[in-house]
Amino acid sequence: MNEELLTLQNLSKYYTSDRLVTVGLNSINLAFSRGEFVAVTGESGSGKSTLAHVLGGILPYEGGELLFKGKPTSHYDGADWERYRRDCVSFISQNYGILPGATVMDNVVSALRLTGISKAEAKSEAEKILREVELWELRSRRAAKLSSGQKQRLSIARALAKPAPILIADEPTGNLDAENSAKIISLLAKAARERLVILITHEFSEAENFVTRHISIHDGKVVMDSLLREPAAPEEPKAVPKRKSRGLFAYVAGLQLRSRPVWSALMLFFFTLTVFAVFSLAGTFISALDDTPTRLYDDSAFQNGDSQRIAVAKADGSDMTEKDEQTLLGVKYVESLESYGYLSDIKYAYREDVDYRWRYSLDTVSGKGPDGDYQRVSSVSFIQSEMPFAKTVPEFPDEREFLSDGRLPENMYEVVAAGDESLIGSSFPVFLQDGKNWSRSAYIYIEVTVVGVTDYGKGLYFHDDLGRVFLSDVEMFAKISSSSRRNYYYLYMPAPDLSGAEARLDKSTYEQIRSARNEDSFEFPMPRLDYLSNREKDVTLNFIGYHLSPFNGIIEVSPEKFAELGRSGKGGQISLTIEDYAYTDRVLNELTKLGYAAVSPYRECSTIQDPTLARQRMQTLRICAAALAVALVLQVVVQRAMFSLETESYLLMKNIGLDCKTARLSILCQVLFFALFGQVLGLLAILGFGAAGIESIGRLLRYLPASHMILLSLIHLGACCATALWIMNALQKQAYPNSGFVSDLDWSALDDEEAKQ
Ligand code: ADP
Ligand code: MG
């Protein structure tokens, strides 16, 4: 007698729906052995499929007992059934049960891989089987594109690939023509040489010449069981290969991704999009947390409120040294350093009609003067304020070329200007105004020559000598100025307030002014004022320019005198220019750590809140927070919905032996794949847009330090994993309703037995 594989003792199966109980199988007693080829027939609804599914371990049974190799299965838990489906049966279902999106090859390989066979082995085995069922030529075609005959052959190929002792086929020829049916039956007959084959069919005639036994059921009961021929002694079953199912989940995940290229691409696109949204929204949110831009700048402490400027002094008030400069240049995000930080608070103006405009009120008096008729302008309203700031030539931390042409200034009357080389050699007047220390309308006026040009920044870069002039102690020079005013022996002096100052206009300019549209005020270029040029070489204090009212002059001294009059060191304040305002906090923290006193003038002096801007900012914050929440929720919902499309293929794979744990892990694996690649692509997109000059996006990135980026990535990943858990649980509920994780049966005993035979 051949080995008895399946024994049914009074086995009953009921289908219970809401109120109805249908009997699927009614107290069946049967025994099947290896080598048998059994045909089960019966009319539609008689219970054939039910029997097949119960024997295949796909449906549970309620009454009696099913013995496998003489051992009862009624106490099997989920994990035991998983093992049974994986190792003991091959199941061919009526509707093929193949993975429609996967290729023919993948369908067979996956069945083999699920049993724990290694990749290489599975491939060579699959080739053998595909040649046998004549599908080798079509190996890379998607299963969905096969004809019904080919699909059924594929599902048989898959069943044959698995070295299970039992093969159950539920109406495999149902949709086939005679020729194809015959092929299928002969394949099954061949398979029966080494296993038990149970063929469910409604067309007994086509199997009649092959089967060894014919069972007929009716209303869930066996009504006939006849032996047609003695089964041959079964051939030696294929050796069961060693199981190495490690990494199987990754294979399943990969299979799922490959089987649905469009789905995968959409998912990747969607994840990329959410990452893009999450990062840009978070960047916007973080940048809007800073309310400085909603405040108006008050320039009474620092005239130059450039947002990229950081003013640094030694915390103990001592002078800056060369070493300090090196240290400060080494701080990350520092773009350049200006030794004379004070100078950055002094404005200059040049190109009289472009950068520097007086605005006079029209309160004029006309009269006759020694030079002819004139109009007296009684007061000055204000000066156009978009004047660049004076700076000394900056130092860069890297080897950057400051000059694009020309040379560096060698004295305080030579400058480097931002602009093109056509500027080199041009001279123009420069008006210096120290809003911090002088009256608002006090100016120093010098004439400078451009000796070099630069692409860096905007404005004029002076020689250090000019810096020293302003660095020099104001009080000291004020003293000099008040004591020696008549002798002009001073570097600069505060000018008297300009209100009430006189400026002469010629008649035609006045007419021009009168016809100007604005009746109350008007603009015109500031008249260029003469200055005394009285250079005398070899005089220690060399007077060069002075104009009585309304301007003050400055005097030129030798560099040695500058050094003598000014401080010996480099003074107390340095101005750093950082790459972007977004880095302000990071740079300030670093400077504080290094022991410096540092402020962002822009931030410190932006004081009065603009209610409209403040409202806009709050709105931005709210919108960003809401949009972030929406993006994350959308991500969860779409992810869940998209993954539910995979459920069917998981059910199919479950039927051929995919266990619950691997199924769950493979989902996690796919989600991680999308999340991580989405993050990479999303970030690349942001970086790409930033690099492509879309400033609004490049800006956001600068507000996200690495730590924030990592945190955001983790939050995104966390959301993905939480959703994955949700999807995994839903799948488990659907496909593995009573799954345990660990089989507590002694399967090894069974394996040993198998090995013995
Ligand atoms: P066959 O395959 O021989 O056509 P089935 O095994 O599919 O028969 O069905 C046997 C009986 O069980 C039928 O009365 C059918 O209506 C019932 N049945 C099958 N599947 C279900 C189900 N999922 N729920 C309820 N009743 C079912
Ligand atoms: Mg059926």
Side-chain angles (χ1 to χ4, degrees), residues 103-125:
T103 60
V104 167
M105 186 71 174
D106 272 342
N107 261 289
V108 180
V109 170
S110 64
L112 287 161
R113 293 277 283 149
L114 286 181
T115 66
I117 294 172
S118 74
K119 202 168 170 180
E121 253 182 289
K123 278 200 172 149
S124 71
E125 185 69 20

Side-chain angles (χ1 to χ4, degrees), residues 414-548:
E414 291 182 344
V415 293
V416 171
D420 60 35
E421 61 272 17
S422 67
L423 284 172
I424 292 179
S426 57
S427 294
F428 43 77
V430 166
F431 304 89
L432 296 162
Q433 177 208 33
D434 182 350
K436 255 191 326 179
N437 296 316
W438 315 340
S439 90
R440 279 299 153 116
S441 43
Y443 297 88
I444 283 178
Y445 164 62
I446 56 172
E447 183 157 307
V448 295
T449 304
V450 179
V451 296
V453 285
T454 180
D455 297 328
Y456 173 80
K458 50 184 181 189
L460 287 189
Y461 300 90
F462 290 84
H463 189 258
D464 281 358
D465 283 352
L466 189 80
R468 284 195 197 97
V469 170
F470 290 98
L471 182 61
S472 308
D473 193 315
V474 174
E475 275 164 28
M476 180 171 103
F477 289 99
K479 234 186 278 160
I480 297 172
S481 69
S482 57
S483 63
S484 58
R485 181 170 182 156
R486 275 166 305 138
N487 299 317
Y488 311 130
Y489 287 167
Y490 51 91
L491 286 173
Y492 69 79
M493 63 173 239
D497 200 288
L498 261 187
S499 50
E502 265 181 46
R504 289 190 175 199
L505 305 176
D506 59 41
K507 229 184 172 117
S508 66
T509 313
Y510 179 65
E511 289 308 320
Q512 235 175 295
I513 291 163
R514 272 227 305 203
S515 60
R517 236 181 348 165
N518 189 334
E519 298 267 290
D520 297 325
S521 63
F522 58 92
E523 289 174 17
F524 68 96
M526 178 184 166
R528 172 138 173 215
L529 299 166
D530 294 332
Y531 64 94
L532 303 172
S533 183
N534 189 14
R535 277 173 209 249
E536 282 177 37
K537 295 235 163 66
D538 307 324
V539 176
T540 321
L541 292 179
N542 193 4
F543 180 82
I544 112 127
Y546 177 71
H547 194 278
L548 257 171

Side-chain angles (χ1 to χ4, degrees), residues 188-209:
L188 291 175
K190 215 166 138 197
R193 285 187 212 147
E194 57 187 45
R195 29 187 143 199
L196 160 63
V197 174
I198 299 172
L199 167 69
I200 313 285
T201 179
H202 60 269
E203 200 63 63
F204 177 65
S205 57
E206 56 189 25
E208 198 171 5
N209 296 330

Side-chain angles (χ1 to χ4, degrees), residues 75-80 741-747:
H75 58 277
Y76 273 22
D77 67 11
D80 298 321
F741 275 121
V742 186
S743 169
D744 50 9
L745 283 190
D746 188 9
W747 285 90

Side-chain angles (χ1 to χ4, degrees), residues 25 60 91 96 164 365 421 502 564 600:
L25 296 175
F91 190 84
Y96 319 119
V365 182
E421 61 272 17
E502 265 181 46
E564 187 192 318
S600 158

Side-chain angles (χ1 to χ4, degrees), residues 48-50 94 170-171 200:
K48 304 184 298 292
S49 290
T50 307
Q94 199 162 358
D170 186 7
E171 305 210 27
I200 313 285

Side-chain angles (χ1 to χ4, degrees), residues 4-25:
E4 197 166 291
L5 289 174
L6 289 174
T7 317
L8 291 72
Q9 296 171 345
N10 295 321
L11 188 131
S12 296
K13 161 81 197 160
Y14 310 105
Y15 291 104
T16 33
S17 52
D18 289 344
R19 227 163 274 168
L20 220 64
V21 178
T22 317
V23 180
L25 296 175

Side-chain angles (χ1 to χ4, degrees), residues 170-182:
D170 186 7
E171 305 210 27
T173 58
N175 311 315
L176 303 184
D177 54 37
E179 192 194 342
N180 270 309
S181 298

